[in-house]
Amino acid sequence: MDERSIVVQISALVHDIGKLVQRAKGEKSPEDAYLQPSIKGQLSHWHVLYTDYFVKNHLPLPVEVKHKRDDIALISSIHHNAHEDMLEQMCVAVGDRLASGMDRLKTDTTEDFRTARLNSILEEVALTKETPSRENLTKRMKLLPFQPLKDVFFAVDQKENEDKKDDEFVQEYKELYENFLQELKEMPSDLPYKHYLPWLLRIMERYLWCVPSSSYKALPDISLYDHSVVTASVAQALWMYHRENKAIKLSYDSLEEEKFILFGGDLSGIQKYIFGISQSGTTGAVRIFRARSFYLQALTKSIILYICKKVGLSLLCQIMDAGGKFILLLPKIKKVLDLMDSLRKEVDEFFVSKFKGELGLCLAYMNISGKDLLLGNFENTLDEFNFLLDKSKKNKFRSFLSLNGSIIHKGYSKIKDFEICSICEKEPGELKEENRYLCKTCWNQINVIGRKIPKAEYIVFSNSGIDLFRDIKLHIHTAKDGKIETHIKNAQLILGVGDKKEFGNIWLAGYMPTIKEDELKDKELLKKVEQEYEDRNLTDVVGEAKTFGIIAHKALTYNEQLEKNLGRALLCVLKADVDNLGLIFSIGLKNRLSVSRFASLSRMLNSFFSGYLVNKIRENLKYQDTYVVFAGGDDLFLIGPWHQTIDLAVEISEEFKEFCANNNDFSISCGLYLIKPHYPIRRAAPKAEEMLEKAKSKIDNDMVLKKNNVCIFEQVLGWNELKNQIKIGKILEQKAIDDESPIKKAFLYRLLQYTKDAIKFEYKNNIDTNSKEFIRYGLYVSHFLYDISRNIMKIKDGKIVNRDEVTFLTNLLNIENEAKNFAQNIVGIQYALCATRE
């Protein structure tokens, strides 16, 4: 990458940094008519003077352009007064105008630039209601450095800011800016641009994610970080386009010409690939699920890096990369067009050879103009692009099949010389591990990725390690691997995990419960640990990953009165995702949709699952025994003690709603599947997925598809209904262990049968409705009420003495919709039975 391109990119990234400095009342350069435009004879846009001073005095630079500081200061600061014959200046200026035109919703209202706080983008989404007006948008982001914590990145009501004094608003900006400067000072002075850029982006995201890019006659819902990155993305593409097309002059009015390419890919077959392991390959199943999930994340990143390397772009071209889907903004130049033609063939050949067609990457691209990116147009642009992606899915591997036919030969010749891989059953098992044979890919996923991800400090994309796409390889760096600096020379990209303060940033959605020393003081748990690690010294198991047997044991509850543990040692497998996510991205913001809002929405949702949620599980004592298989994009796969995981599911639903500014157009559906600790996860994962699909496929009484549900014990409930069933279950649990209560476990088992009869009566299930069997099922009400009167009701002197218990039980019947509602009680009853088993 040439130094002039680097100068343009850095200048575009920091062009509006002066807005942060100005709001913090930092230092600025003297007024300058050369940098500042004049409006009605008065100099304006004072933030450019703060940008100029910041670049000249505070901005660290990569080694390639350290001698270009004055150029960068000028180009970044003159974007409101750029000279049309200076291409570098115009790329940033037009990039800024395009980005502003993409983003800013004009209003007649102007908020003070120091007191305005960023609107929550999540509050603006509207699927089932009218787009909210500015007056109805009440949620604001706090002005704090980003952390995946509720007190930091959950929106708060704007009323929290109403009583603040002006100097308090300024002080918040001062603290933010001072911390921003401090992190910039900690950047090494000898970084090459390939490592400088992700490092700078990490710092900018951390401090600018919450800063409004504008509040002057505009809705303040675009962060300074998102505006800056989009400006740099456009400027990079414009620079490369006009470098190749020198005869075409860049001007503010050149919006009609197609200078850009919107390019993207979408992985197809993700779930099938992640969970597709053989029946004999169940050992280490969770590890391989986690490894495959991350491997796909790394694989898509490697394809993006390959494209950038081939055409000389930086990662600023990336608009989104989440959930197996990525979108890039590229310049429409010969090098890119040639790559578009060849890349499809390379990708198809790679995926067919590597995954035998089970997993594929569908690619699409379209030529676009600056006008196509503007507010009001981008919604249609994205719709057209998604249509092309869907069309590509229907023609998966077309380039490969047209050249090679429909039979895959490559890679099978070795199978005759080796055993078949015990995990994937597709590749030759060249490596022996215990009593099974593994192919290289599965061996790496289990023994390298799966083992190292929970302890990862850095993710390195380099020329050595595990094969990804083409010549790009993956290295997962842990504390045992020594200093990360040894990878700087050969690495194309280094990402620090979580809150690391070096290089770029990635949130790894994985958490593995480990044995803590204090837990071994529990005698019952100590016995379980001794059983699970019978060949190990107990002093050596501290810090080891908990087995599923140990995790399931944590579901037991110690009863002081009985002096023993009660309950079943079961696991709960949780699968969940966001409802209607495709619609949210495509039509949720309607004519407000822009590149920045699209990127911000994707980033915020991913941060909730891979950042906040994983941190919650890690730090909350109640949920620390939960195994995070994967969490990111909008997808969630957890395994934990059964009743803790059910409680966690409810909390996730409630907190996601709160995170989304209580916007009813955001919801989560979830599948919960209870298993014994030695039940194969390979079989449990698809079962949980089935429960999730049922939760998302419920048809209400008006024959309308209704999501925002949870499916457990084959029953689809709304979240409030689940909370009610948990409440019922806990009451029945307490009654069953209370010596004075007539509600015993024997009654609970009969009650369970009545609910099963109600289910058969309500849903028929291919039963002849005229048969005696069906009629018997319909007697569940009379059987239930007779049982209460005979075995539960206590009568003394002609009066019911345990009326509360009788009323509680009879209230389980709902006469208006009795069979369906009574059937739901199977959840609460099963809950009580699982909790009381001795």
Side-chain angles (χ1 to χ4, degrees), residues 317-380:
C317 68
Q318 177 184 299
I319 293 174
M320 76 160 290
D321 175 22
K325 184 176 182 178
F326 65 87
I327 300 177
L328 311 179
L329 183 66
L330 308 176
K332 187 187 171 188
I333 58 176
K334 185 178 185 304
K335 192 184 292 186
V336 173
L337 291 170
D338 290 345
L339 180 63
M340 295 298 98
D341 291 334
S342 63
L343 186 64
R344 194 185 302 273
K345 295 176 183 176
E346 292 182 64
V347 165
D348 280 357
E349 184 174 342
F350 172 82
F351 277 86
V352 170
S353 175
K354 184 82 172 174
F355 305 105
K356 303 298 182 284
E358 182 179 55
L359 186 73
L361 180 67
C362 304
L363 302 175
Y365 71 93
M366 59 185 286
N367 300 329
I368 60 172
S369 66
K371 188 177 180 180
D372 294 323
L373 292 170
L374 292 177
L375 206 63
N377 298 333
F378 185 66
E379 181 183 5
N380 292 330

Side-chain angles (χ1 to χ4, degrees), residues 60-61 66 184-191 196 199:
L61 294 174
K66 281 190 178 295
L184 289 176
K185 289 177 184 177
E186 293 170 4
M187 287 182 68
S189 60
D190 58 349
L191 285 174
Y196 167 90
W199 198 312

Side-chain angles (χ1 to χ4, degrees), residues 562-574:
L562 300 176
E563 296 184 344
K564 62 180 177 180
N565 284 324
L566 293 180
R568 297 186 68 188
L570 297 175
L571 299 170
C572 181
V573 180
L574 181 155

